[in-house]
Amino acid sequence: MTTDISLARHDILSVEDEQYLCSLIRTIPDFPAKGILFRDFIPVFADARGMDLLLEAFVRALPVKPEEFDYIAGLEARGFLLGTALARQLGKGFIAVRKAGKLPPKTVSQSYELEYGTATVEIEKNLVPEGSRILIVDDLIATGGTAWAAMKLFEEVGCTVAGFSFVMELDGLHGLDQLSHYPTSSLMVMPA
């Protein structure tokens, strides 16, 4: 097991299940640039037991109860995998927050700053009824820019963000600070 990865709360899974789940998270040094540790949870989805444990733990760690949100929004691209599985399990609809230029219908867009430039995310303009409550999910929060941009998109179309939930949080990058006015959770905390 990778020793620097553990669940943020140890009351969610048994010690054995926690160790198994954390052992599936891959750490790839120097990707996408030298000095960066890339944390990859995709191997969890290739493992049936791991995927079950991930979803079980993720549901238990949600920052709000399922009756407090109407839709789950997943951030491109790994948030799509997690979000659709979670939406199916909880009986919720799913909304994809896409990178700019990927959606053919009318969209609303929000740009945000990255460490190395800017990026833009979009949602379909009339997909979600005004007043809907949205839980935004993704695999990882680092600086929080993408999650913040998604929050702004849903507010622009008249929705309420009920909270944010992430599989992994990179400690020391303060990504959750941008979202401090909302209920948030991260399943795992690990060094950046």
Side-chain angles (χ1 to χ4, degrees):
M1 178 176 131
T2 306
T3 57
D4 67 343
I5 299 174
S6 66
L7 295 188
R9 288 179 38 201
H10 299 290
D11 61 336
I12 294 176
L13 295 174
S14 71
V15 171
E16 177 187 330
D17 286 344
E18 176 181 349
Q19 289 176 344
Y20 185 80
L21 178 61
C22 291
S23 75
L24 297 172
I25 305 295
R26 218 173 9 199
T27 300
I28 302 163
D30 299 322
F31 183 83
K34 187 159 181 64
I36 294 176
L37 292 176
F38 182 79
R39 307 297 185 148
D40 186 14
F41 90 118
I42 292 297
V44 173
F45 282 94
D47 185 285
R49 177 181 172 206
M51 187 165 42
D52 283 346
L53 290 172
L54 175 68
L55 289 173
E56 176 185 341
F58 204 73
V59 168
R60 289 180 180 175
L62 287 177
V64 292
K65 296 175 183 169
E67 57 270 16
E68 296 179 65
F69 57 92
D70 306 304
Y71 293 90
I72 293 172
L75 306 179
E76 190 164 344
R78 291 175 296 273
F80 294 176
L81 299 171
L82 179 63
T84 54
L86 189 62
R88 170 69 172 86
Q89 183 168 336
L90 297 176
K92 305 290 182 177
F94 175 79
I95 299 120
V97 178
R98 302 292 313 264
K99 294 177 182 173
K102 302 287 185 178
L103 293 168
K106 289 185 180 182
T107 62
V108 290
S109 301
Q110 178 66 50
S111 295
Y112 60 99
E113 296 293 321
L114 298 167
E115 313 80 78
Y116 46 84
T118 61
T120 302
V121 291
E122 298 178 330
I123 58 172
E124 188 176 329
K125 189 171 187 168
N126 298 311
L127 183 64
V128 186
E130 192 172 322
S132 296
R133 300 166 301 165
I134 312 295
L135 176 70
I136 298 172
V137 302
D138 202 6
D139 68 319
L140 179 110
I141 184 160
T143 62
T146 310
W148 177 87
M151 176 261 309
K152 296 305 260 178
L153 284 175
F154 286 108
E155 288 178 349
E156 185 177 331
V157 297
C159 294
T160 301
V161 173
F164 296 86
S165 196
F166 304 95
V167 174
M168 300 173 284
E169 173 189 356
L170 294 182
D171 193 29
L173 296 182
H174 310 289
L176 292 180
D177 292 352
Q178 284 198 65
L179 313 173
S180 63
H181 293 93
Y182 298 88
T184 60
S185 66
S186 58
L187 186 58
M188 301 174 187
V189 179
M190 59 196 67

